Amino acid sequence: WEKNIMNGDKVAVVLATYNSEKYIDQLLQSLVEQTYDEFICYIHDDESRDNTKVIINDYKLKYPEKFKILEYDKLCYVLRSR
């Protein structure tokens, strides 16, 4: 695993969120600030009723190559293919 990371392979991070506005900004910012920046983060929000989606969309707009928002059918595909 470490050998693949050293070769520049991307790390896939999959997040499922629901009403996470208190924590999601800190979590996503910590990913952005990692020293190893070859990652892609797939995020599925389960119809949050707070500002979780707004925060996630802000990160997607700011870092489009790093954050992808998944609908339910795409989430199932990603989980099966990993």
Side-chain angles (χ1 to χ4, degrees):
W1 185 80
E2 289 178 10
K3 182 179 179 184
N4 291 341
I5 296 297
M6 298 308 285
N7 288 333
D9 289 347
K10 282 197 175 190
V11 172
V13 178
V14 180
L15 299 176
T17 63
Y18 178 73
N19 290 344
S20 303
E21 73 177 337
K22 291 181 182 178
Y23 312 105
I24 195 71
D25 184 63
Q26 181 180 0
L27 188 151
L28 299 179
Q29 190 59 39
S30 73
L31 285 173
V32 170
E33 293 174 357
Q34 293 295 310
T35 56
Y36 186 80
D37 66 349
E38 291 299 318
F39 72 88
I40 186 163
C41 181
Y42 299 100
I43 306 170
H44 171 70
D45 181 70
D46 196 14
E47 300 300 321
S48 290
R49 297 178 184 192
D50 60 6
N51 286 320
T52 300
K53 284 184 181 181
V54 172
I55 297 166
I56 291 169
N57 281 323
D58 287 346
Y59 274 87
K60 182 184 178 204
L61 291 173
K62 192 171 182 181
Y63 306 98
E65 72 285 354
K66 300 288 185 193
F67 296 99
K68 307 294 181 194
I69 299 173
L70 300 175
E71 302 300 324
Y72 180 76
D73 57 334
K74 292 179 185 173
L75 173 68
C76 292
Y77 172 77
V78 169
L79 292 177
R80 277 184 264 149
S81 68
R82 294 288 167 199

